[in-house]
Amino acid sequence: MPMERWRYPEDWERIAREVKEEAGWRCEECGKQCRRPGEPFDTHKRTLTVSHINHDPADCRRENLRALCAPCHLRYDAAHHAETRRLRKLTERGQ
């Protein structure tokens, strides 16, 4: 699902970078070492992202944020994204 940038605070890039730095650029789920800024791109699997535990992009309290590699982030969000798609389809049908 693409990032809905308007839902995030203006300083999201700074917040996300701090979370990644605190995690040592390692996934807080699987422990995979991810690429740091400036390192050459090799695979999306080593891209570190920041996940909102409660799925609310406006809630940027540190205890609600986790540094996750792209595969772990996708797994973590899978059920939430499926439910969001289901609800969107119901809304589009007028139900």
Side-chain angles (χ1 to χ4, degrees):
M1 226 173 208
M3 180 177 176
E4 295 173 327
R5 186 65 182 93
W6 61 271
R7 297 182 65 200
Y8 291 75
E10 287 184 22
D11 61 344
W12 173 245
E13 287 80 16
R14 180 193 58 76
I15 294 167
R17 186 175 185 112
E18 286 176 5
V19 171
K20 294 171 186 180
E21 289 286 341
E22 288 175 18
W25 294 87
R26 285 190 175 277
C27 178
E28 293 181 306
E29 179 69 21
C30 71
K32 181 188 304 173
Q33 181 64 56
C34 293
R35 277 190 326 279
R36 293 175 183 268
E39 288 184 13
F41 178 82
D42 53 357
T43 174
H44 285 293
K45 293 179 182 179
R46 287 192 344 107
T47 298
L48 194 62
T49 64
V50 177
S51 173
H52 291 80
I53 295 168
N54 68 4
H55 301 287
D56 178 1
D59 183 356
C60 294
R61 293 170 296 128
R62 180 58 181 102
E63 60 268 18
N64 187 48
L65 302 174
R66 289 180 70 200
L68 299 177
C69 66
C72 285
H73 198 158
L74 287 171
R75 275 192 295 279
Y76 182 75
D77 284 350
H80 175 73
H81 287 188
E83 180 64 8
T84 300
R85 280 190 299 274
R86 186 185 75 75
L87 292 173
R88 188 172 293 136
K89 285 180 184 178
L90 288 176
T91 302
E92 289 169 358
R93 292 184 198 147
Q95 298 178 342

